[in-house]
Amino acid sequence: MLPGCGKSSGGSAPAELQLYVAASTAHVIEPLMVEYQNRTGVVVRVNAAASSTLARQIEQGAPADVYLSANEKWMDHLAGKKLIDPASRRDLLGNRLVLVAPASHNTPAMSISDALSKLDGRLAMGDPDAVPAGLYGKAALQSMKLWAAVEPHVAAAKDVRSALLLVERGEADFGIVYATDAASSQRVTTVATFDENTHKPIRYPIALTTQAQAAVNPLFDYLLSSTSREAFEAAGFTFYANDGGDDAR
């Protein structure tokens, strides 16, 4: 178990714990937290949004106990502000970037260049200047020398799940999302997977905040546990963290 790094609970249970997580992990985190609450009786509030949005909320004083980012940039940002506990930081997850299309369009598998080189409609993606999936997507398209042609067609979304929703609704011809997002939806099809060499490795670092309640330590261990590993791997994530050794049993 990690040592407490912030507020003491004073020997009494906290009213609730606050877990701030990247939007792309919500469909796994939320059921895990229901299970954790049922096992322990501890209430966990999950705030799922773009990693950039969450980091800014924490910077402005939001009462987060744990922060799970979809890239290193925003975790580094909070580290620079001394708002996370550096001893607790570690990579939790990995992912892949894919190009998707509405399932109703029956778009066949093809190369990313073929799909986007003559794009007439919209390309949904997270905000390419802030949202991790958008940053990865922009970097990949720049590496492939497609960004200049594609940029005018970009529908920038507040987070990757919102980008997925645009494609599901048929409001965008294509979307750039994580492989786990595509796998979670029956309303999109994966057209192609981006070569990992076209962008930085997709890593999800996790850390306690400097204001974390001491009572959050068992929850943090649970997020590193074999129970969490099974849930994340079933959803298609790569799980990097060492087993926390506490399955809340």
Side-chain angles (χ1 to χ4, degrees):
M1 182 179 294
L2 291 166
C5 66
K7 299 179 292 184
S8 169
S9 62
S12 60
E16 59 187 34
L17 298 174
Q18 300 282 343
L19 182 56
Y20 282 41
V21 303
S24 55
T25 67
H27 63 297
V28 181
I29 288 284
E30 288 171 353
L32 278 173
M33 292 305 98
V34 170
E35 180 180 1
Y36 183 82
Q37 181 171 329
N38 289 340
R39 290 184 179 187
T40 66
V42 176
V43 176
V44 182
R45 303 296 182 192
V46 177
N47 181 10
S51 301
S52 52
T53 298
L54 298 173
R56 289 169 180 143
Q57 289 175 353
I58 293 170
E59 189 174 0
Q60 292 167 6
D65 292 296
V66 179
Y67 175 52
L68 173 59
S69 175
N71 72 353
E72 295 181 345
K73 173 183 176 178
W74 290 107
M75 186 66 79
D76 290 344
H77 176 78
L78 292 184
K81 301 287 184 179
K82 301 187 184 305
L83 292 173
I84 63 162
D85 171 27
S88 70
R89 179 176 175 171
R90 65 204 62 199
D91 286 341
L92 183 68
L93 306 168
N95 215 330
R96 294 292 302 273
L97 202 65
V98 299
L99 184 72
V100 296
S104 60
H105 288 191
N106 297 314
T107 304
M110 66 182 79
S111 72
I112 293 167
S113 295
D114 286 345
L116 299 182
S117 60
K118 297 181 180 179
L119 180 65
D120 290 326
R122 297 205 297 171
L123 172 66
M125 60 191 296
D127 183 344
D129 294 321
V131 176
L135 292 168
Y136 291 126
K138 179 179 178 179
L141 293 174
Q142 286 176 326
S143 175
M144 300 171 71
K145 303 188 185 307
L146 293 171
W147 179 249
V150 166
E151 185 178 10
H153 299 275
V154 168
K158 66 178 182 178
D159 56 47
V160 69
R161 299 297 284 192
S162 297
L164 178 69
L165 185 60
L166 288 175
V167 183
E168 288 179 328
R169 290 175 173 171
E171 296 175 14
D173 291 337
F174 294 100
I176 296 176
V177 299
Y178 296 121
T180 52
D181 296 311
S184 72
S185 175
Q186 296 182 345
R187 296 166 63 189
V188 302
T189 55
T190 297
V191 175
T193 300
F194 283 85
D195 188 320
E196 290 181 294
N197 293 325
T198 62
H199 56 80
K200 290 182 178 180
I202 298 175
R203 298 287 185 268
Y204 289 66
I206 189 171
L208 296 171
T209 67
T210 51
Q211 65 175 347
Q213 303 171 81
V216 79
N217 284 327
L219 171 62
F220 196 84
D221 286 344
Y222 182 69
L223 290 168
L224 309 181
S225 72
S226 59
T227 297
S228 293
R229 173 189 289 274
E230 291 170 5
F232 279 114
E233 289 183 344
F237 288 93
T238 301
F239 194 88
Y240 291 116
N242 292 326
D243 194 324
D246 185 351
D247 286 327
R249 293 190 179 97

